[in-house]
Structures are given as C-alpha cells and as structure tokens.
Amino acid sequence: MRVLIVNTSERTGGAAVAANRLMKALNNNGVKAKMLVRDKESDALTVVGLPKSPRLHWHFLWERLVIFCRLHFSRKHLFEIDIANAGTDITKLREFQEADIIHLHWVNQGMLSLGGIRKILQSGKPVIWTMHDIWPATAICHLTMGCHYYINRCANCKYLPGGGNSHDLASHIWRKKQQLLAEGNIYFVACSRWLESEAKSSALLKGQKITSIPNPIDTHIYKKGNKQEARQRLGLPQDKKLILFASQRVTNENKGMSYLVEACRQLSDLHKDLCEVVILGGHAEEMVAQLPMKAHPLGYVNDEQRVVDVYQAADVFVLPSLSENLPNTIMEAMACGVPCVAFKVGGIPEEIDHLKNGYVAAYRDATDLAKGIAWVLQEADYESLSQQAVHKVTQCYSQQSVAIKYLDVYQQAMAFINYKL
C-alpha cells in the first residue's frame, strides 16, 4: 500500500509535526508512505516538495489579497480564515499517480484550492482527510470560538466586517464546499473525539464518513530523562520548580499567555521564591517583562533533542489555550513524564486525565489554573502523576497504536472505492 500524505509545510506548525510523525509511524509498520509539501525544509527522501515555481508564492498572495479586500483592507483576521481559491493541481505529479491512498492534512494558504481537491476526488483514488482544526467542516474559519452557524449553514460570519450578512463570503464558500463534497466521498479523521463530534454536527459534512484517531508520537525520542542533566545542558537552575509554557508563537492570544501571567502572579504571592518560568517558542523574550517571577526565554527551537531536554527539565507543563484540538505539546510533555495543566477545552480533557496524570482547570479561570499548578508541584504524588502521564501516551498515542488505526481506515476507504467500481 502506497500512501501520499499532503500538507502545506513539512515541519512548521502542529499539523506538519503530526503529519510527519504519521508518515514515520506508517513506514515503521509496513506502509510505503511519502509526504508532499509546499514548504520542504529538510533533505528527507520520503518528503517531496512541490515543483519550484513563482506560482507557489502567487497562490498564497492571491488568496490573502482576496481576503484582505473582503476584510475592507483590515489585517484583523487576515490569517484566521481561508477560502482555498488558489493552489496547485497535484494530480499530475508522479507521487500522486503512484499512490494508492491520498491522505490530506492541513492544505491551506495556497497549497490546494477547492478546485484542486475536486480533481483529486475525480481521480477515483480513496481520499482521507485528517482534520487538525474545524476548517473542513465550516466555510472559512479554523476556529469557531463559540459560533454554531456551521451546524446549518455558514453566513453572517463574525470574522467579516460588521459580522457579515446572509450572502457574505462565508456563505459563498459554503456553497462551493457543498458542491465539492456532493461530487465525491472523503473519509474524514478528526484528531480528537471532541473535533469528531463537532464535525458530525456540521451540515456540510452530512453523509460523509467521520471518525477520530489521535496524532502519534515517537516514544523512543520523547521519554523521561534525567532532570538535573537536562537543566545543566540548558543552563537552567537546579534549585527551582520550573513551569514550562510552549507555543509556536507565544504572543498568539489564543494560546492564553495572559492567563498564565495572572496564574503566576497568584502563585508568586504565595510561593515567591519557589518557581521560575521557562518559555519555549517564537517571541518568547517579549513575555518576560509581564511575568511576576524570573523567566527563561528559550525562543523557537528546531532541534528535536533540545526540545526533549526542555520537557525533561520542566516540573510542570502549562497550556492555557482558549481553543485546541489535541495539542502535540501536551502529548510531548506527558511522554517525557511531565504532568500538564490546561483549560477544559477541545480535546485537552482526552489527553489529561484530571487528578490522575495532570490537572484540567475550569475554562478561562486563572485562579483554577494557579490551583492546578500548585497542586501538581506541592500536593500531588508527583512520581505517580509522572508515571501515569507516560503510561497514557504509551497506551494511546504510540506510533504502532495509531498506525494500526489508520490502516483500518485505509482498508475501509479502498474497499468502498472498489465496491463503487
């Protein structure tokens, strides 16, 4: 079986990380998997970049320009919506023609257009689409943030000027997606049971097959290590409790850094000299002045072993995101034996078992977030939390367990295509 995994980026972003890990998991379990990306960043033979062309950049710019105009030339929400009006036709590529299964992941920002996806469906090959966010089930948004129009029909979109109207851009793209999905079947896979439920409630995906399979992680790389040695390698203090926060861009409001700042303020009032904060991600240095305790900004780290060192050095990982699917960062921290504290939102409660391997705080409640951090660091049986975190990852997110689930989906999709023929 030959599988072609399609994603915009090879390494940048959570979807890219997950797609790359899935490719490795499949190859380690008897499947010939390749990855097709627009942004190739390594010399890996199993990853193929789109043929170099000025059009690649133009596809991205054209979509942003159209959205910019529809936003009345405001940058607000410019990168929060996608309309897939431009992209590459991948059906002519040798990698596509050789594949038995086409497995889409995050294909936005000029990678694939809706017309390009239609051509993929018309090829007759089975198509799997892993949902890393809600965009495949809505018109234009990746995060609904409490909006439920997609249950019946997207329109009056809050991301558009004035809240949109009944015949706005969202309504237009909704109709285009409806027409596309009426022409062919896609087997949708959500990365969490929460997102599966959201997708099944969408009128857009009515009649489509939808299931959930978590992202995989390599537990041979992400594993418990010596905390003192990891701190020594990173130049971090040995005598403090270290609170870790990580994000691709830590200033992203959706990642909830302001709630961590407030939680740390409350913690510092009670435990002034107990804790320090480690910040991993882009723009980390911008957040240092906001924290009431000493912080160590490590910036954006590409080296995977250094990332593992950061997790192994931490005492607790905190992710106060306001919207999440199934965060890779929580999975990575747990694999390294680090208990996690996060808000009760999206697929997070599926990863963190409350009071067993971490703490699930009330949504947008900085006080409960602080309570959870203090509980992990001072009240709980820390070694038990750590062991349970590793056990959860080994049982649910290992490469083999996830690969087996995807193999079943591939076989179902191929059997359905053969039945139709």
Side-chain angles (χ1 to χ4, degrees), residues 6 23 28 76 121 137 139 158 165 190 212 245 258 290 344 369 384 407:
V6 185
M23 177 186 67
N28 289 338
K76 187 177 183 181
L121 291 173
K158 65 181 181 180
N165 56 63
S212 61
F245 171 82
S258 61
Q290 299 183 33
K344 187 177 182 180
L369 195 71
S384 175
L407 279 170

PDB file of all heavy atoms in Angstrom, residues 6 23 28 76 121 137 139 158 165 190 212 245 258 290 344 369 384 407:
ATOM      1  N   VAL A   6      -0.405  14.708   2.276  1.00  0.00           N
ATOM      2  CA  VAL A   6      -0.320  16.052   1.695  1.00  0.00           C
ATOM      3  C   VAL A   6      -0.512  17.094   2.785  1.00  0.00           C
ATOM      4  O   VAL A   6      -1.532  17.096   3.486  1.00  0.00           O
ATOM      5  CB  VAL A   6      -1.381  16.245   0.584  1.00  0.00           C
ATOM      6  CG1 VAL A   6      -1.199  17.599  -0.096  1.00  0.00           C
ATOM      7  CG2 VAL A   6      -1.312  15.117  -0.440  1.00  0.00           C
ATOM      8  N   MET A  23       3.685   9.790   8.996  1.00  0.00           N
ATOM      9  CA  MET A  23       4.437   9.184   7.900  1.00  0.00           C
ATOM     10  C   MET A  23       5.458   8.184   8.435  1.00  0.00           C
ATOM     11  O   MET A  23       5.577   7.058   7.936  1.00  0.00           O
ATOM     12  CB  MET A  23       5.143  10.268   7.084  1.00  0.00           C
ATOM     13  CG  MET A  23       6.023   9.728   5.958  1.00  0.00           C
ATOM     14  SD  MET A  23       6.986  11.010   5.125  1.00  0.00           S
ATOM     15  CE  MET A  23       8.108  11.509   6.445  1.00  0.00           C
ATOM     16  N   ASN A  28       7.143   2.627   9.551  1.00  0.00           N
ATOM     17  CA  ASN A  28       7.635   1.657  10.543  1.00  0.00           C
ATOM     18  C   ASN A  28       6.693   0.469  10.723  1.00  0.00           C
ATOM     19  O   ASN A  28       7.022  -0.487  11.430  1.00  0.00           O
ATOM     20  CB  ASN A  28       7.844   2.341  11.893  1.00  0.00           C
ATOM     21  CG  ASN A  28       9.035   3.275  11.894  1.00  0.00           C
ATOM     22  OD1 ASN A  28       9.935   3.141  11.073  1.00  0.00           O
ATOM     23  ND2 ASN A  28       9.049   4.234  12.807  1.00  0.00           N
ATOM     24  N   LYS A  76      -6.923  42.588  10.481  1.00  0.00           N
ATOM     25  CA  LYS A  76      -7.565  41.784  11.522  1.00  0.00           C
ATOM     26  C   LYS A  76      -8.232  40.566  10.886  1.00  0.00           C
ATOM     27  O   LYS A  76      -8.982  40.692   9.920  1.00  0.00           O
ATOM     28  CB  LYS A  76      -8.596  42.611  12.286  1.00  0.00           C
ATOM     29  CG  LYS A  76      -9.179  41.896  13.494  1.00  0.00           C
ATOM     30  CD  LYS A  76     -10.147  42.790  14.248  1.00  0.00           C
ATOM     31  CE  LYS A  76     -10.676  42.079  15.495  1.00  0.00           C
ATOM     32  NZ  LYS A  76     -11.648  42.919  16.237  1.00  0.00           N
ATOM     33  N   LEU A 121     -10.558  14.162  -6.089  1.00  0.00           N
ATOM     34  CA  LEU A 121     -11.715  13.274  -5.957  1.00  0.00           C
ATOM     35  C   LEU A 121     -12.060  12.633  -7.298  1.00  0.00           C
ATOM     36  O   LEU A 121     -12.426  11.455  -7.366  1.00  0.00           O
ATOM     37  CB  LEU A 121     -12.913  14.051  -5.411  1.00  0.00           C
ATOM     38  CG  LEU A 121     -12.823  14.523  -3.957  1.00  0.00           C
ATOM     39  CD1 LEU A 121     -13.997  15.414  -3.606  1.00  0.00           C
ATOM     40  CD2 LEU A 121     -12.769  13.334  -3.018  1.00  0.00           C
ATOM     41  N   ALA A 137     -15.016  21.529   7.998  1.00  0.00           N
ATOM     42  CA  ALA A 137     -16.438  21.408   8.341  1.00  0.00           C
ATOM     43  C   ALA A 137     -17.151  22.755   8.408  1.00  0.00           C
ATOM     44  O   ALA A 137     -18.333  22.820   8.725  1.00  0.00           O
ATOM     45  CB  ALA A 137     -16.595  20.686   9.687  1.00  0.00           C
ATOM     46  N   ALA A 139     -17.173  27.036   6.568  1.00  0.00           N
ATOM     47  CA  ALA A 139     -16.918  27.710   5.301  1.00  0.00           C
ATOM     48  C   ALA A 139     -15.494  28.232   5.226  1.00  0.00           C
ATOM     49  O   ALA A 139     -14.709  27.821   4.367  1.00  0.00           O
ATOM     50  CB  ALA A 139     -17.911  28.858   5.120  1.00  0.00           C
ATOM     51  N   LYS A 158     -18.678  36.207  11.831  1.00  0.00           N
ATOM     52  CA  LYS A 158     -18.156  37.211  12.764  1.00  0.00           C
ATOM     53  C   LYS A 158     -16.747  37.655  12.402  1.00  0.00           C
ATOM     54  O   LYS A 158     -16.280  38.688  12.886  1.00  0.00           O
ATOM     55  CB  LYS A 158     -18.184  36.663  14.187  1.00  0.00           C
ATOM     56  CG  LYS A 158     -17.261  35.473  14.442  1.00  0.00           C
ATOM     57  CD  LYS A 158     -17.389  34.999  15.870  1.00  0.00           C
ATOM     58  CE  LYS A 158     -16.461  33.823  16.160  1.00  0.00           C
ATOM     59  NZ  LYS A 158     -16.603  33.363  17.560  1.00  0.00           N
ATOM     60  N   ASN A 165     -23.103  39.008   6.487  1.00  0.00           N
ATOM     61  CA  ASN A 165     -24.535  39.020   6.211  1.00  0.00           C
ATOM     62  C   ASN A 165     -24.908  37.665   5.640  1.00  0.00           C
ATOM     63  O   ASN A 165     -24.078  36.770   5.518  1.00  0.00           O
ATOM     64  CB  ASN A 165     -24.895  40.160   5.251  1.00  0.00           C
ATOM     65  CG  ASN A 165     -24.111  40.089   3.954  1.00  0.00           C
ATOM     66  OD1 ASN A 165     -24.232  39.130   3.184  1.00  0.00           O
ATOM     67  ND2 ASN A 165     -23.270  41.107   3.707  1.00  0.00           N
ATOM     68  N   ALA A 190     -10.826  13.033  12.506  1.00  0.00           N
ATOM     69  CA  ALA A 190     -10.528  14.103  13.458  1.00  0.00           C
ATOM     70  C   ALA A 190      -9.467  13.612  14.435  1.00  0.00           C
ATOM     71  O   ALA A 190      -9.389  12.423  14.733  1.00  0.00           O
ATOM     72  CB  ALA A 190     -11.789  14.507  14.212  1.00  0.00           C
ATOM     73  N   SER A 212     -12.413   9.371  14.591  1.00  0.00           N
ATOM     74  CA  SER A 212     -11.326  10.082  15.264  1.00  0.00           C
ATOM     75  C   SER A 212     -10.161   9.132  15.539  1.00  0.00           C
ATOM     76  O   SER A 212     -10.365   7.994  15.951  1.00  0.00           O
ATOM     77  CB  SER A 212     -11.804  10.716  16.577  1.00  0.00           C
ATOM     78  OG  SER A 212     -12.278   9.736  17.478  1.00  0.00           O
ATOM     79  N   PHE A 245       5.984  26.768  29.502  1.00  0.00           N
ATOM     80  CA  PHE A 245       4.946  27.161  28.549  1.00  0.00           C
ATOM     81  C   PHE A 245       5.571  27.119  27.166  1.00  0.00           C
ATOM     82  O   PHE A 245       6.668  27.641  26.962  1.00  0.00           O
ATOM     83  CB  PHE A 245       4.435  28.568  28.854  1.00  0.00           C
ATOM     84  CG  PHE A 245       3.508  29.130  27.798  1.00  0.00           C
ATOM     85  CD1 PHE A 245       2.169  28.786  27.784  1.00  0.00           C
ATOM     86  CD2 PHE A 245       3.986  29.988  26.818  1.00  0.00           C
ATOM     87  CE1 PHE A 245       1.313  29.298  26.814  1.00  0.00           C
ATOM     88  CE2 PHE A 245       3.140  30.505  25.841  1.00  0.00           C
ATOM     89  CZ  PHE A 245       1.797  30.155  25.849  1.00  0.00           C
ATOM     90  N   SER A 258      -1.846  35.344  28.731  1.00  0.00           N
ATOM     91  CA  SER A 258      -2.292  36.297  29.758  1.00  0.00           C
ATOM     92  C   SER A 258      -2.831  35.569  30.990  1.00  0.00           C
ATOM     93  O   SER A 258      -2.682  36.051  32.126  1.00  0.00           O
ATOM     94  CB  SER A 258      -3.370  37.226  29.194  1.00  0.00           C
ATOM     95  OG  SER A 258      -4.511  36.493  28.766  1.00  0.00           O
ATOM     96  N   GLN A 290       6.294  40.662  31.490  1.00  0.00           N
ATOM     97  CA  GLN A 290       4.936  40.551  32.009  1.00  0.00           C
ATOM     98  C   GLN A 290       4.833  39.595  33.197  1.00  0.00           C
ATOM     99  O   GLN A 290       3.879  39.665  33.974  1.00  0.00           O
ATOM    100  CB  GLN A 290       3.987  40.085  30.909  1.00  0.00           C
ATOM    101  CG  GLN A 290       3.893  41.031  29.727  1.00  0.00           C
ATOM    102  CD  GLN A 290       2.879  40.559  28.703  1.00  0.00           C
ATOM    103  OE1 GLN A 290       1.869  39.945  29.040  1.00  0.00           O
ATOM    104  NE2 GLN A 290       3.151  40.834  27.429  1.00  0.00           N
ATOM    105  N   LYS A 344     -10.129  23.270  30.370  1.00  0.00           N
ATOM    106  CA  LYS A 344     -11.070  22.275  29.865  1.00  0.00           C
ATOM    107  C   LYS A 344     -11.672  22.790  28.566  1.00  0.00           C
ATOM    108  O   LYS A 344     -12.703  23.474  28.546  1.00  0.00           O
ATOM    109  CB  LYS A 344     -12.163  22.010  30.903  1.00  0.00           C
ATOM    110  CG  LYS A 344     -13.098  20.870  30.521  1.00  0.00           C
ATOM    111  CD  LYS A 344     -14.121  20.605  31.603  1.00  0.00           C
ATOM    112  CE  LYS A 344     -15.014  19.427  31.242  1.00  0.00           C
ATOM    113  NZ  LYS A 344     -16.018  19.158  32.307  1.00  0.00           N
ATOM    114  N   LEU A 369      -6.320  27.714  37.304  1.00  0.00           N
ATOM    115  CA  LEU A 369      -5.065  27.353  36.648  1.00  0.00           C
ATOM    116  C   LEU A 369      -3.924  27.386  37.675  1.00  0.00           C
ATOM    117  O   LEU A 369      -3.110  26.461  37.742  1.00  0.00           O
ATOM    118  CB  LEU A 369      -4.778  28.326  35.509  1.00  0.00           C
ATOM    119  CG  LEU A 369      -3.708  27.914  34.494  1.00  0.00           C
ATOM    120  CD1 LEU A 369      -4.200  26.762  33.621  1.00  0.00           C
ATOM    121  CD2 LEU A 369      -3.329  29.105  33.601  1.00  0.00           C
ATOM    122  N   SER A 384       3.801   9.513  40.902  1.00  0.00           N
ATOM    123  CA  SER A 384       2.650   8.797  40.355  1.00  0.00           C
ATOM    124  C   SER A 384       2.073   9.535  39.148  1.00  0.00           C
ATOM    125  O   SER A 384       1.737   8.910  38.134  1.00  0.00           O
ATOM    126  CB  SER A 384       1.566   8.637  41.422  1.00  0.00           C
ATOM    127  OG  SER A 384       0.396   8.039  40.870  1.00  0.00           O
ATOM    128  N   LEU A 407      -4.460   2.168   9.330  1.00  0.00           N
ATOM    129  CA  LEU A 407      -4.501   1.071   8.366  1.00  0.00           C
ATOM    130  C   LEU A 407      -5.927   0.571   8.173  1.00  0.00           C
ATOM    131  O   LEU A 407      -6.352   0.251   7.057  1.00  0.00           O
ATOM    132  CB  LEU A 407      -3.590  -0.060   8.832  1.00  0.00           C
ATOM    133  CG  LEU A 407      -2.101   0.118   8.544  1.00  0.00           C
ATOM    134  CD1 LEU A 407      -1.283  -0.940   9.274  1.00  0.00           C
ATOM    135  CD2 LEU A 407      -1.842   0.036   7.038  1.00  0.00           C
TER     136      LEU A 407
END
